[in-house]
Every structure is written in structure tokens, then in C-alpha cells.
Amino acid sequence: MDDLSPAPQAVELTRESIQAGAVIQIASANGLRVLTDAERAASIAETLAARPKRSDPSGDLWLFGYGSLIWNPAFHFTERRKGRIRGWHRRFCLWTPLGRGSPERPGLVLGLERGGACTGMAFCLASDQIACELDIVWRREMLSGAYKPRWVRVETADGPVDAVTFTIDPANPRYAGRLDEDEIVRVVASAVGRLGPCTDYLFKTADALAELGLTDRALNRLKRRVEERLAAQAS
């Protein structure tokens, strides 16, 4: 018999939904191992303890976003700057069986891998809001511990800042490795999850970078190829 049960309701990733634990609940209900409150708190504490001594003397903290954080941060910040980090590049390298895909047809999201450079947005968190705002960020980005929080040096027009960002953990079982571009195009063009189509994630990230005047040729090429694939399927 065909499965006529309704499709799972889509979830909007907002500050409120993250704080309410919606993302954690969805992941847990689908068998994804998520960090406990204690593990999440320990990860934040470890990251703060590794803060470079040269960091902002005001006590404010910078966070570097290179994917959906650029166009949907969902946390409070006092300032943002366009920036570039070196030694890391943006790549679709993390399987997502829920957010932008399903267990049967997982999608892909971005992570930072070694080598090259990456443009994005640096956000400043006020010193008296760091605990609350990082908890929101960790509930979202460190849901299952697939990333490694890391301090990076961000070059901005107003001078360099030290910032926290999230690099891929190659030891995590959801790490996709270095997939070839054809495979990435196929996956992104077809995967849909509780947060929406994987195409939205790609298109919004590429468009946000373009609006900021930041260039990522590899991401733009992926967008063009996915658009061409979708157009061919529709014809």
C-alpha cells in the first residue's frame, strides 16, 4: 500500500525555533545523535578558553559565517564586516539527512576544509551577550558535533579580527569527503529536508555573497550547473 501519510511539516530556522529546541527535537526523533546540554556547554567553554590573547580587549567576540549564517544569522550582533580567512575554503562536504535532505536522499551543506581562502561575514557579539548568543549558535551549528569550532584570523577593511568559525570534522560519520562536482550537483539539485530544498541553501548563499560583492567562483559554478540541471528536468 502506498504511504499516504502527510509529509513532515517544514521548520523555519529562527532564533525562537532554535531556542525552543525545535532542531534538536527533530534530530533526536529521527535517531541522529545530538550533543547533550553538558557537551554543548563544555564545547563552548573549551572554545572560549582557546581565545587568542590578542583578541578584542573590549571582551566582545567575533564569529565568522561562510554559509547560511551570512543570510540567516538568527543571533544578535552589534556589528558585521565582510571578511576573508586564509588556509580554509568553503565546500559542500557534510551530509544532512534532515535539514536539507532526508534519510533516503540526504543533502549536502557547507563546511570549511583545509587550503585556499574563504570570504564571508564576521559578526561581533557584545561581551554581555556572548553566553546567550553562543548557545544559540551551538544549538544550530554544533547540533551533532560534525564541525570543529576554531579561531581564525579574519581580514576586514577595518583591520583583522580573531573570530570563531566552524571547520569540518573529517572523523565525523557525516563527513562526505571530497565529492566530485558532478555528484555535488546531483545531490543538491534533488535533496529536500525539513528546512527546505538543498537548492535554496546553495542559491541563497551564492546570492548573499554576490550582493556583498564577494566572489566565490566554485560556488557560482555550482549554482549555474544546478540551475541548468533543474531547467533540463523541467523541459
Side-chain angles (χ1 to χ4, degrees):
M1 178 181 293
D2 291 339
D3 183 4
L4 299 180
S5 59
Q9 184 178 4
V11 174
E12 185 179 1
L13 196 62
T14 65
R15 179 183 182 85
E16 292 71 26
S17 67
I18 295 169
Q19 286 183 309
V23 179
I24 292 175
Q25 291 168 12
I26 292 170
S28 299
N30 285 271
L32 186 66
R33 198 273 180 187
V34 301
L35 297 187
T36 65
D37 290 347
E39 288 172 328
R40 190 168 60 251
S43 175
I44 293 174
E46 182 180 356
T47 301
L48 292 177
R51 184 173 187 167
K53 293 181 179 180
R54 65 189 177 193
S55 295
D56 194 330
S58 70
D60 294 346
L61 183 144
W62 290 86
L63 185 73
F64 180 74
Y66 54 88
S68 62
L69 288 181
I70 298 174
W71 46 269
N72 182 26
F75 55 83
H76 292 159
F77 55 90
T78 59
E79 181 186 355
R80 59 182 175 181
R81 302 179 190 174
K82 295 186 291 185
R84 178 189 303 271
I85 62 172
R86 300 188 184 278
W88 300 90
H89 68 280
R90 178 175 25 232
R91 186 175 179 84
F92 279 94
C93 60
L94 180 64
W95 292 114
T96 170
L98 295 173
R100 297 290 176 177
S102 65
E104 299 77 24
R105 183 172 288 180
L108 287 165
V109 291
L110 294 164
L112 287 177
E113 293 211 90
R114 291 280 188 183
C118 180
T119 55
M121 186 67 76
F123 299 90
C124 182
L125 310 185
S127 59
D128 61 348
Q129 297 180 353
I130 288 175
C132 175
E133 301 311 310
L134 285 189
D135 183 66
I136 292 172
V137 174
W138 251 252
R139 284 172 176 267
R140 169 181 175 169
E141 300 300 320
M142 289 295 290
L143 178 68
S144 63
Y147 294 111
K148 286 186 175 183
R150 188 182 301 271
W151 288 91
V152 292
R153 193 70 164 167
V154 186
E155 302 167 0
T156 81
D158 295 317
V161 296
D162 293 304
V164 174
T165 196
F166 298 94
T167 62
I168 196 67
D169 180 1
N172 191 278
R174 289 170 53 209
Y175 175 55
R178 298 188 65 82
L179 300 174
D180 64 47
E181 190 171 273
D182 289 345
E183 178 68 1
I184 295 173
V185 169
R186 183 193 67 78
V187 170
V188 172
S190 60
V192 179
R194 295 294 298 275
L195 298 179
C198 205
T199 51
D200 280 0
Y201 178 87
L202 166 61
F203 295 165
K204 288 180 178 179
T205 302
D207 290 346
L209 288 169
E211 290 172 5
L212 293 169
L214 301 174
T215 302
D216 186 318
R217 293 186 179 86
L219 202 67
N220 289 338
R221 186 174 61 248
L222 278 176
K223 180 188 176 187
R224 184 177 65 253
R225 291 195 58 191
V226 169
E227 289 173 332
E228 290 171 350
R229 184 183 181 94
L230 294 177
Q233 291 174 346
S235 62

